[in-house]
Amino acid sequence: MESKKLEKPRKNGTFSTVRGVMNPHEEDSGVFPTMMTPDGTGAASEWCYWNSLLGPELFVAVDFTWFYEYSREEDTLRDKIYPFIEKVLHLYQGIAVEKEDGYLHIPFTTSPEVDKDGHMFMADDATFTLSCLHYLCRKMDGYAKLLKQDGSRWQDFRGRLAPVVTNEKGLPVYAGIDVFASHRHFCHLYPIYPLCEEAHNDVAQRSLDTAINQGFLEFAAFSCPYLGIMAARCGRGNMSRTMLELYCMVFRSRNSFTVNGDPYRNGILRISDTNAGESADAFTLESGFFIPTALCEMFVHRAKDTIWLQMGMPDEWKSCSCRDLAVEGGHRITTQREDYRIRRLLLKAGCEETVTLRWKDDIPAARVVKNGQETEGAGRQSLTLAVLPGDEVEIEWGKLG
């Protein structure tokens, strides 16, 4: 798919922080309203209260990093992405409060749409907020080096920022407060996806277990494909497939919209006045976009410097393939699966870096070819290699036994 340039974000009607004071007229804003018209202006509705909450600008900033990570368009990074994220981080620097522990904390945060006792739950330092800020600081430090700017301020801010705390249940909603109800967002799982920094480790596995132990009582429509992505990133291909099947059978209306309730009366969730559970309720499009995302994640996904191949593949899928799927770095991945095993990989490098390739079941590679020349790697169960833009790496796996 041909990439497109980002349009300059519109900020009409949004807020910015000037010495900790919310200024609705400042054009140089780092805040996005939740409800927007097509031109970016804040829009009123019955949910207009959401426009005054922190958080939407973090969603947008993370999406902007994705644009660069996939496209590697340095002019867009310099002219549009870096300046916008800079404003977002300035906003939170102005809001942050230093406490007795010496760390900077972010007050009055939400883990989007989490309610308790009939009211929106608000507290300091939502995992969603802190994890996004740590991620953005790391990215901006790297972007500053690339753009030949001083990025030390981003590392300084990150060093003073309260850390994301994990526990025996994985990632909490807030430090000391684990997820306590089923929900369509599970935004405390952001470090797994879309920040893509936790995968195939104990934190990710414990976090997924804690989320699914809540069952599917409310807002389950969105959570099914979202958890399908999380499952793929934990190597649970069968669960990932089941989440997508459940979503398609239960929560899709005939017009392909997501229905947040139980329109076909499958008895899959509790109907309440908080989950838009009318039987004919056409709710959103968003979950539908997660279906192809989850399928892509089954075939290939990346966490930090590791590219994972077919780690989210369901066990009973005998044969399947993908072609030119993109991962961070602009690399294009083609893989083939035959007789329940990975058989072939073709990687077309999009940038200069060193990456590690891991694949399901740790089957030893039979043959490794780089730019037409056979190279070292046969017999290995993972492969670390340096690539340049345009390099092509092909790996073949033989049959077992």
Side-chain angles (χ1 to χ4, degrees), residues 338-381:
E338 297 175 359
D339 296 325
Y340 307 103
R341 301 283 183 177
I342 188 170
R343 294 299 181 208
R344 179 177 178 268
L345 159 78
L346 176 63
L347 181 150
K348 299 177 182 178
C351 72
E352 179 180 358
E353 65 172 338
T354 298
V355 295
T356 296
L357 302 177
R358 296 285 305 273
W359 47 86
K360 190 171 185 178
D361 300 323
D362 295 328
I363 306 168
R367 185 168 178 260
V368 181
V369 177
K370 184 176 180 181
N371 297 329
Q373 299 292 322
E374 192 159 348
T375 187
E376 295 181 354
R380 296 180 186 174
Q381 295 175 307

Side-chain angles (χ1 to χ4, degrees), residues 186-206:
F186 291 115
C187 281
H188 65 293
L189 302 183
Y190 241 56
I192 305 175
Y193 183 89
L195 303 186
C196 301
E197 299 197 314
E198 303 287 350
H200 305 284
N201 59 27
D202 288 342
V203 169
Q205 297 285 6
R206 294 197 306 268

